[in-house]
Amino acid sequence: MPSRRRLLGLVAAGTLPFAGCLSAPSDADRTTTEPSTPSTTTEREPVRGGAAEASVERTITDEEYQYVESNDTVRYPATMAGDEVVEYDYEPFEEWGHIQGASVAAEYLRSLLDQRLPEAETLSVPVSSRGEQDGLRLVAALTTHLARDGDVLSEPSVSRNEVIRATPHTVDATIHFAGRTYTDRYPVYVEERTIQNE
């Protein structure tokens, strides 16, 4: 499992911002769709995806990462100022692989759900550490966004049951980097959230 310091640095509000050793979000993957205004979030109990497990395999070629064979670590950009790296840090390969694998798995899950539920435009796929003692999990999040007075600003275009049926129970991710291979299994949950502006 990633070190406590590293994980706390990556997990915010139960989700991993795709920074550091995780790829930057794009408009297409919609992994960071939280509103910028102050808000209150309520959630229903998450349930596991109901579809068969899925798997993805990817070779990591990003030049920002460097494998250090002498101590089996990966050097990654820890602090950025714009496009410039201010500080690098090192992480054991297994811990780096666990986080990188979660990023790859989340990106794959997002594309899989886009194919299976093309009408689900507001569905987001964050990575979470909540409820997983031994690592990270993926979340297919259905979010309803309310104004301060309770008016609905946006809501899911698909039902919770539709998402459960389309979402795999787990995603296995295998990554190859600098001649090393890491494989991990990430449980997948479906979660409903209501966010209300304060």
Side-chain angles (χ1 to χ4, degrees):
M1 182 175 177
S3 67
R4 179 174 171 78
R5 177 175 171 268
R6 173 88 167 125
L7 195 55
L8 289 176
L10 291 172
V11 177
T15 62
L16 287 175
F18 285 67
C21 70
L22 301 178
S23 59
S26 68
D27 290 340
D29 67 25
R30 296 179 298 284
T31 54
T32 54
T33 57
E34 301 300 322
S36 58
T37 56
S39 60
T40 301
T41 303
T42 58
E43 302 171 358
R44 284 180 61 182
E45 189 67 25
V47 296
R48 291 293 291 270
E53 66 183 49
S55 61
V56 60
E57 188 168 351
R58 185 164 304 160
T59 299
I60 307 299
T61 58
D62 298 353
E63 294 182 0
E64 61 189 8
Y65 306 126
Q66 180 182 349
Y67 178 66
V68 182
E69 187 175 5
S70 61
N71 59 4
D72 193 31
T73 61
V74 176
R75 187 184 81 159
Y76 66 92
T79 308
M80 303 287 291
D83 293 333
E84 298 295 319
V85 178
V86 175
E87 181 183 9
Y88 287 95
D89 205 347
Y90 295 82
E91 191 162 50
F93 175 77
E94 294 290 315
E95 295 179 10
W96 176 86
H98 182 63
I99 295 173
Q100 189 68 40
S103 174
V104 168
E107 184 180 335
Y108 174 74
L109 178 60
R110 170 75 260 170
S111 66
L112 185 66
L113 292 177
D114 277 345
Q115 294 172 19
R116 294 179 178 178
L117 299 169
E119 68 279 17
E121 296 177 358
T122 60
L123 193 66
S124 62
V125 183
V127 177
S128 172
S129 65
R130 184 175 46 198
E132 294 302 319
Q133 295 299 317
D134 298 319
L136 302 172
R137 69 180 185 174
L138 309 180
V139 179
L142 291 145
T143 303
T144 299
H145 189 184
L146 305 178
R148 182 180 299 176
D149 60 6
D151 287 345
V152 176
L153 299 176
S154 65
E155 61 185 350
S157 54
V158 292
S159 72
R160 182 176 190 239
N161 286 339
E162 287 176 297
V163 177
I164 291 171
R165 286 193 299 269
T167 301
H169 190 69
T170 57
V171 175
D172 291 343
T174 298
I175 59 171
H176 305 283
F177 175 69
R180 298 289 312 276
T181 297
Y182 180 86
T183 300
D184 212 333
R185 173 167 288 182
Y186 302 91
V188 186
Y189 291 80
V190 176
E191 184 175 85
E192 284 186 302
R193 303 171 175 178
T194 299
I195 300 174
Q196 183 167 7
N197 291 348
E198 295 179 346

